[in-house]
Amino acid sequence: MQIKTLGDEMKTRPDVDYLFKPRAVAVIGASHNSAKIGYRIVENMVQRGYKGEIYPINPHGGEILGLKVYPNLAEVEGDVDVVVITIPARYVFDAVKECAAKRVKHLLIITSGFSEVGNAEEERKIVAYAREHGMRVLGPNIFGLYSAAASLDATFGPGGILPGRVAIITQSGALGIAMIGKTAAESLGLSALVSIGNKSDIDESELLEYLARDEATKVILMYIEGVKHGDRLVDTLKQVTRKKHVVVIKSGRSQRGAMAAASHTGSLAGADNIFDSIMRQCGVLRAESVQEAFNWARFLADAPIPSGKESVIITNGGGIGVLATDACEKYGVDLYDDQQVLKDTFSDVMPDFGSSKNPVDLTGQATAQDYERSLEAMLSNPDMHAALALYCETALFDTEEFAALLKREYARYKEKKPVVFSLFGGEKVEEIVRELRKEGVPVFSDVYDAVSCLGAMYRSWIKMRQPSGGAEEVEIDVAAVEEILDRARDEKRGFLLANEAQEMAKVLGLSMPESIMARNLDEAVRAAEKIGYPVVMKVVSKDIIHKSDAGGVALDLLNRDEVVDAYQAIMRSCRAYKKDALIQGVEVVEMAKAGVETIIGARQDGSFGPIVMFGLGGIYVEVMKDVAFRAAPLSRREANDMIADIRSYPLLLGVRGEKRKEIDGIIDVATKLGALIDKCRDITDIEINPLVVYEHGHGVKAVDVRILFKTTREVR
Ligand code: ACO
């Protein structure tokens, strides 16, 4: 059977659609030997009931599973959209040439032995040739692809994939194959499963774009080891998460894990906290473990979009209710709190000694009917948006009856409101949990697992409701920036001197303490008197980058005498530090008033491209590593979220009677740095340390601005 109509979108985006809905698939390396990968792939295609034509290719001819085997691709008469290549690496390039002659659209290169083992040259050669001849490459080093849209299982996995609403993209082959078995065991249906291996050509971003358009897909689950074209991935994810839930598992969280991931895939895993922050920015749900990712994917695939954020916990045990409340706080799940409405809704369905406060405690005497009535009462109240029903095994309660009730209630309400269950008890209860899960009921033994699903749903829901649109355009006078950089480049410098940093701050509209450049002692004294005491004095020399190390900085100078002494001391120490240093003079700077010291920076990240970083200064950033990141350019809302991400954020909101700090001022600086690092890609690092933040209404001050850039202009 042929799949003919692929819709109008195909005209504009033919590429990846053909990968998921091919009309015919050939397997180069189809084997007669049932122990080989080339046999297994043909077998999976046949068993899954692929709707298009299957052409096994093998020089020995004959038949495999009743299909005619062609000695080479040229002898196949019909068109072939996808070719699976499963022959040893040294023969792959010739096979790719055969595919080009046959005008194939996509190559699935299963074969290992390319960039992941240092053979990057051969991989590049294959991809370049394929692209020149209008073909796209998935892999190499993959286990294949499954697409429910075409009933195609072109993997060498264990088979038995159920069709459904979850799409999996995986960089790890072995884990991906194991996931096939796991999805089957958990009855998790898939719309697609793609192994991306070395991602030499097609990468996550392109696959995500397709899956975002694929109506069958509701949740996308990704396993990532390293990010290659991070800026493109960020743009794509921001779009995709408006429509679909995206769950990511990224290995390399720990230092050792990152090293293992780097050697495993040949691509460096980006620093983990950058990845974490940027995924949050994109509205992606990052799971801690494969099991958590599965739990979320399973729940989100069936859960309706909630109409609000208020949840209700119904329980037969006080203790487990409290645990659930803790879990709600941890995962950001809000609990419905109108006590009168709770009382009116639940007082009829509980004994006098129960509690209608949320958690609603039906007590250990609760019967299945009590649960049924309270669930009905909750689910029909439009102000209560999601339910968490908890059950602790009791001697009085018929657990089997309860299981039947859960199934019934879940089936009735699953289209209307998100409901999740947690059942805790002995072997009998565990068995029921397993059975219900197989039937697709979102039930867990551990209450934290149940609440974590609700938390994930709300995080994704918040992202979907946010107004669309990217970062507001921040005006940057790029020509003026480049002019300052060029002057430094003329002196073969890749960093700015203090007076140049001042100029840059002016171009960006950053508020800095007043500063005057002084070429000698007289000028230094005059500058200090003009600015007003106290002042700071810093050496200006292109030969001294680390001014403090050279004794080139004096703080808190209170009068003329101190300025004179400091000037002489600075000159002495700097000469001693570097005898032949050319000293242009000193910078006399207004001593900034005390405020909250923060650090804000931007740089070109190896994985994600331009990024912005924010943290509180001093020990918060150095010891506690309390920093957050965002991909640039960033909107004011994204900048605000970045600031709110740090653990010490309450200090900016004002603690112990202190006033709220000038958060808007930090947002201004963050969006400006984001725009600058995005527009001027030759700038490699910007750091404002400290950015002193005053009380709301009193602004912020960039006390020290450092900028590093490439000494030759590369990007124009
Ligand atoms: N055209 C058509 N068929 C060919 C050609 C050709 N040019 N060359 C060889 N063949 C046939 C062979 O005759 C053989 O068929 P036969 O068994 O009927 O004789 C078949 O193709 C396979 O060739 P072999 O030389 O037997 O290769 P083998 O199957 O041992 O290995 C493979 C090929 C599987 C691609 C291997 O080189 C490889 O890369 N293995 C690793 C695959 C992998 O793990 N990928 C990553 C997955 S993810 C993960 O981590 C699990």
Side-chain angles (χ1 to χ4, degrees):
M1 195 176 107
Q2 299 239 318
I3 303 162
K4 287 195 183 98
T5 48
L6 290 171
D8 284 346
E9 263 175 342
M10 287 294 303
K11 289 177 192 136
T12 48
R13 292 170 175 264
D15 284 356
V16 174
D17 286 64
Y18 274 111
L19 184 61
F20 289 91
K21 298 167 188 166
R23 293 163 300 184
V25 178
V27 180
I28 296 186
S31 173
H32 297 89
N33 178 346
S34 62
K36 287 196 182 174
I37 287 177
Y39 177 89
R40 183 81 190 136
I41 290 174
V42 177
E43 186 182 40
N44 273 343
M45 285 205 279
V46 171
Q47 280 182 354
R48 175 83 272 169
Y50 170 53
K51 294 175 186 162
E53 303 293 334
I54 306 173
Y55 301 115
I57 314 289
N58 185 305
H60 303 121
E63 272 193 8
I64 297 175
L65 293 161
L67 295 167
K68 177 184 171 189
V69 174
Y70 293 77
N72 55 57
L73 195 59
E75 293 198 22
V76 172
E77 278 156 24
D79 287 341
V80 178
D81 290 334
V82 169
V83 171
V84 183
I85 299 181
T86 174
I87 51 177
R90 60 188 180 281
Y91 304 126
V92 171
F93 185 62
D94 284 342
V96 172
K97 283 189 185 159
E98 267 190 73
C99 296
K102 185 73 187 159
R103 298 180 171 276
V104 167
K105 294 185 171 62
H106 286 281
L107 307 176
L108 260 60
I109 307 183
I110 303 286
T111 312
S112 302
F114 294 97
S115 65
E116 82 284 3
V117 291
N119 189 8
E121 194 44 50
E122 184 72 4
E123 186 173 301
R124 266 197 295 275
K125 191 172 93 178
I126 287 170
V127 173
Y129 186 88
R131 296 293 301 246
E132 259 171 46
H133 293 81
M135 300 186 291
R136 303 297 308 277
V137 177
L138 187 67
N141 189 30
I142 59 172
F143 66 81
L145 168 137
Y146 160 81
S147 167
S151 295
L152 172 68
D153 180 355
T155 74
F156 61 85
I161 304 175
L162 301 169
R165 303 183 192 183
V166 177
I168 299 181
I169 300 174
T170 172
Q171 199 174 345
S172 161
L175 199 61
I177 291 174
M179 280 191 207
I180 296 179
K182 178 89 176 151
T183 57
E186 297 234 342
S187 319
L188 178 69
L190 301 185
S191 55
L193 170 66
V194 193
S195 165
I196 50 175
N198 296 0
K199 5 182 204 183
S200 65
D201 178 21
I202 295 176
D203 64 7
E204 303 93 344
S205 299
E206 253 176 294
L207 297 168
L208 282 165
E209 280 167 20
Y210 167 80
L211 294 169
R213 287 181 281 125
D214 176 40
E215 280 183 11
T217 301
K218 201 168 164 206
V219 182
I220 302 166
L221 196 160
M222 293 201 288
Y223 172 84
I224 296 185
E225 285 175 350
V227 175
K228 267 186 189 164
H229 305 290
D231 34 0
R232 208 175 121 218
L233 182 65
V234 167
D235 288 344
T236 313
L237 283 172
K238 281 186 180 176
Q239 298 303 322
V240 177
T241 52
R242 308 200 65 76
K243 299 190 224 155
K244 316 262 163 154
H245 305 287
V246 181
V247 177
V248 68
I249 317 160
K250 179 179 175 291
S251 57
R253 212 181 251 281
S254 61
Q255 290 285 344
R256 284 190 81 92
M259 278 160 63
S263 51
H264 184 190
T265 63
S267 71
L268 265 176
D272 193 69
N273 46 358
I274 298 179
F275 181 87
D276 213 55
S277 285
I278 292 180
M279 288 303 111
R280 243 197 312 283
Q281 174 182 13
C282 295
V284 171
L285 304 165
R286 182 175 186 186
E288 286 275 344
S289 64
V290 179
Q291 186 59 55
E292 186 173 57
F294 267 67
N295 290 349
W296 291 352
R298 170 63 167 283
F299 177 67
L300 295 170
D302 292 329
I305 299 291
S307 56
K309 218 176 168 260
E310 313 273 345
S311 304
V312 173
I313 302 171
I314 298 170
T315 178
N316 68 342
I320 201 152
V322 176
L323 273 180
T325 311
D326 290 348
C328 285
E329 193 170 303
K330 174 173 174 184
Y331 295 112
V333 174
D334 292 350
L335 292 178
Y336 185 82
D337 205 26
D338 187 326
Q339 294 305 319
Q340 191 54 50
V341 175
L342 284 164
K343 200 164 173 213
D344 295 346
T345 311
F346 296 108
S347 53
D348 287 353
V349 294
M350 65 175 58
D352 291 344
F353 48 89
S355 164
S356 67
K357 291 188 180 124
N358 195 4
V360 176
D361 187 357
L362 304 178
T363 79
Q365 283 191 0
T367 62
Q369 289 69 32
D370 295 334
Y371 268 101
E372 186 160 15
R373 282 161 59 210
S374 37
L375 272 171
E376 297 268 339
M378 177 269 145
L379 291 163
S380 51
N381 184 327
D383 295 329
M384 300 175 185
H385 306 120
L388 170 64
L390 312 176
Y391 166 72
C392 270
E393 189 175 25
T394 70
L396 304 171
F397 201 125
D398 180 347
T399 310
E400 296 224 358
E401 195 186 339
F402 188 56
L405 163 98
L406 285 195
K407 232 164 43 184
R408 225 172 31 242
E409 289 297 299
Y410 179 67
R412 277 185 67 189
Y413 287 98
K414 71 175 194 182
E415 307 286 332
K416 299 180 192 131
K417 278 188 193 181
V419 194
V420 62
F421 306 97
S422 168
L423 273 55
F424 185 70
E427 188 45 45
K428 183 90 201 140
V429 172
E430 284 294 316
E431 207 176 289
I432 286 174
V433 167
R434 277 194 297 276
E435 263 171 40
L436 288 173
R437 282 176 70 83
K438 267 203 183 124
E439 294 183 36
V441 181
V443 53
F444 302 90
S445 319
D446 191 312
V447 66
Y448 270 71
D449 289 340
V451 180
S452 143
C453 288
L454 282 184
M457 176 193 72
Y458 279 123
R459 289 203 299 284
S460 198
W461 172 75
I462 287 168
K463 165 72 189 177
M464 285 177 182
R465 278 165 30 110
Q466 271 167 0
S468 55
E472 307 84 7
E473 188 68 24
V474 177
E475 286 284 321
I476 300 279
D477 186 346
V478 176
V481 169
E482 287 294 347
E483 206 235 270
I484 299 171
L485 302 185
D486 279 347
R487 266 189 275 132
R489 285 181 182 128
D490 287 346
E491 293 182 10
K492 308 263 175 291
R493 259 188 295 122
F495 63 94
L496 295 186
L497 296 177
N499 52 325
E500 294 164 337
Q502 284 273 350
E503 270 185 72
M504 187 67 91
K506 267 206 196 86
V507 170
L508 295 176
L510 302 180
S511 163
M512 286 188 84
E514 190 183 351
S515 137
I516 298 173
M517 168 76 195
R519 274 160 301 173
N520 53 45
L521 178 58
D522 275 356
E523 281 185 15
V525 171
R526 270 206 300 280
E529 312 256 285
K530 179 158 183 287
I531 289 168
Y533 297 103
V535 293
V536 175
M537 196 185 283
K538 300 178 197 172
V539 69
V540 177
S541 165
K542 68 178 175 57
D543 299 319
I544 299 173
I545 304 177
H546 303 291
K547 294 180 228 124
S548 301
D549 294 353
V553 180
L555 301 174
D556 211 5
L557 307 175
L558 295 173
N559 51 46
R560 185 192 166 93
D561 289 348
E562 289 193 8
V563 167
V564 172
D565 290 349
Y567 183 89
Q568 285 160 349
I570 284 176
M571 291 302 145
R572 256 195 322 273
S573 341
C574 288
R575 291 254 147 70
Y577 180 77
K578 201 164 190 196
K579 225 179 9 197
D580 52 353
L582 178 71
I583 296 174
Q584 281 112 319
V586 291
E587 188 197 10
V588 183
V589 192
E590 165 198 351
M591 176 102 182
K593 284 200 289 298
V596 178
E597 291 200 0
T598 64
I599 171 167
I600 187 158
R603 70 180 164 88
Q604 309 292 349
D605 179 74
S607 294
F608 286 101
I611 61 166
V612 175
M613 182 274 288
F614 173 74
L616 246 59
I619 56 157
Y620 292 99
V621 65
E622 271 161 34
V623 183
M624 324 260 300
K625 307 271 181 260
D626 189 11
V627 287
F629 300 85
R630 287 296 180 270
L634 70 173
S635 66
R636 292 189 71 82
R637 185 180 44 71
E638 288 170 317
N640 191 46
D641 289 348
M642 171 177 72
I643 297 162
D645 254 6
I646 62 166
R647 293 191 298 281
S648 28
Y649 180 57
L651 292 178
L652 293 170
L653 292 176
V655 281
R656 296 200 187 162
E658 278 184 5
K659 291 203 177 123
R660 180 189 165 90
K661 304 296 180 283
E662 182 69 61
I663 295 171
D664 274 352
I666 311 174
I667 293 174
D668 279 343
V669 177
T671 51
K672 281 175 182 166
L673 294 196
L676 177 66
I677 200 84
D678 178 50
K679 288 185 174 147
C680 304
R681 300 278 175 120
D682 281 345
I683 296 182
T684 53
D685 286 271
I686 309 171
E687 188 178 291
I688 302 180
N689 184 16
L691 175 79
V692 182
V693 183
Y694 299 105
E695 280 180 1
H696 184 62
H698 295 269
V700 298
K701 265 204 171 132
V703 171
D704 197 10
V705 179
R706 285 174 203 210
I707 298 188
L708 303 181
F709 46 93
K710 294 184 179 149
T711 45
T712 46
R713 262 210 211 194
E714 284 179 14
V715 186
R716 283 175 190 272

